[in-house]
Amino acid sequence: MRVDVSLIPGEVAAKDVSNAAVVVIDVLRASSTVTTALANSCEEVIPAESIEEAITLASGYSRPDYVLGGERRGLAVDGFDLGNSPGEYSEARVAGKKVILATTNGTRAVKQYGGAREIVVACFLNAGAVLHMLATAEDRDVLLLCAGQDGRFSIEDALCAGLYASELAQLSGAALSDSARAAAAIYEHRRGSIEDALTESEHGTYLASIGFLDDVRYCARQSVLDVIPKVYDRRVIRRARLGPGES
Ligand code: MLT
């Protein structure tokens, strides 16, 4: 197994992902929100690339069956049911429903890699479950895709990619690309202070300034949700956790 990291989204266009699991990481906050919604029994998350697309998608469903969520500049969109705060995606709000979600960077990244062998959504919250799945399918490569911020590098996504790269090297003896080694080094440097690193990050600081410090702290929690969000036919569903040897 070879593990590569795309530290910014545009970098991955040139890569062949036909035998790879693409792991989309947007720690603050889209990946964390998707993972939380699925942990709270939403039926599926339908990612939208724009507010307009989300509204069009919603028009195809009847009202009790879906919730419409999303953000612009971190704040809930006017007329939408929910923003992009993981805490809003409680069981009471989302169980049994479709979640149509439009975020600035994360949901766009989810829709980019249709040619991949498998696409999953990952963050710190579900690291244990996703790592277990990746480590037990050693016949394919792994591309950790950092969603970043408006095409730019985000330290929180690199830290999370570094955790995955570092663990896969240890668990499966995976070979790391240069960018995977760089991400792993960043993670090793901050592994004891992930919450502080997220709070100090540019987007973490911004989220705190608009009242979402609790979200940042929540998104720093590691391996607390046993959920593997898998992209299937442009939807994100909860993948069953498989035993050793299954993939
Ligand atoms: C995004 O997709 O850009 C983020 O999830 C923004 C946010 O923190 O809401």
Side-chain angles (χ1 to χ4, degrees):
M1 179 194 297
R2 181 178 162 79
V3 176
D4 199 359
V5 175
S6 178
L7 289 164
I8 51 169
E11 202 189 332
V12 81
K15 297 185 195 283
D16 176 10
V17 291
S18 54
N19 189 39
V22 172
V23 179
V24 181
I25 299 172
D26 183 9
V27 171
L28 297 175
R29 295 167 290 174
S31 295
S32 303
T33 297
V34 168
T35 302
T36 301
L38 289 168
N40 285 329
S41 305
C42 85
E43 184 190 317
E44 58 188 14
V45 178
I46 307 176
E49 287 187 58
S50 65
I51 302 300
E52 296 70 29
E53 187 190 3
I55 292 167
T56 305
L57 285 166
S59 68
Y61 299 102
S62 14
R63 198 50 177 128
D65 297 342
Y66 73 90
V67 294
L68 184 55
E71 57 71 37
R72 282 299 174 260
R73 296 201 46 73
L75 297 168
V77 178
D78 272 353
F80 278 32
D81 305 313
L82 302 174
N84 188 28
S85 193
E88 292 177 278
Y89 290 76
S90 63
E91 198 164 353
R93 289 308 301 267
V94 304
K97 295 184 191 281
K98 297 172 194 302
V99 170
I100 300 167
L101 185 65
T103 75
T104 311
N105 302 283
T107 52
R108 275 192 208 152
V110 167
K111 295 187 80 172
Q112 269 173 359
Y113 299 99
R117 183 160 148 192
E118 182 163 37
I119 307 173
V120 297
V121 175
C123 52
F124 285 106
L125 298 170
N126 62 351
V130 175
L131 277 165
H132 177 269
M133 182 272 283
L134 294 171
T136 47
E138 293 177 12
D139 62 327
R140 67 177 169 208
D141 296 329
V142 173
L143 174 64
L144 301 161
L145 171 67
C146 299
Q149 189 74 32
D150 300 324
R152 295 174 58 230
F153 176 87
S154 283
I155 190 89
E156 66 275 14
D157 296 340
L159 279 165
C160 188
L163 159 69
Y164 280 80
S166 180
E167 289 288 318
L168 287 170
Q170 283 172 41
L171 292 168
S172 314
L176 303 186
S177 70
D178 284 357
S179 55
R181 282 174 199 275
I186 294 170
Y187 169 71
E188 292 301 338
H189 180 60
R190 294 305 301 261
R191 63 179 300 156
S193 55
I194 295 296
E195 185 180 310
D196 288 347
L198 264 54
T199 310
E200 291 159 15
S201 70
E202 289 176 22
H203 194 51
T205 304
Y206 172 71
L207 287 172
S209 79
I210 58 169
F212 293 121
L213 179 58
D214 285 350
D215 281 7
V216 180
R217 292 191 174 130
Y218 170 76
C219 295
R221 296 175 63 196
Q222 195 172 310
S223 303
V224 291
L225 299 179
D226 191 17
V227 174
I228 303 167
K230 177 181 162 67
V231 181
Y232 181 76
D233 194 21
R234 286 174 288 170
R235 286 141 198 271
V236 192
I237 56 171
R238 188 171 175 159
R239 182 193 200 273
R241 190 160 168 170
L242 303 171
E246 298 173 281
S247 66

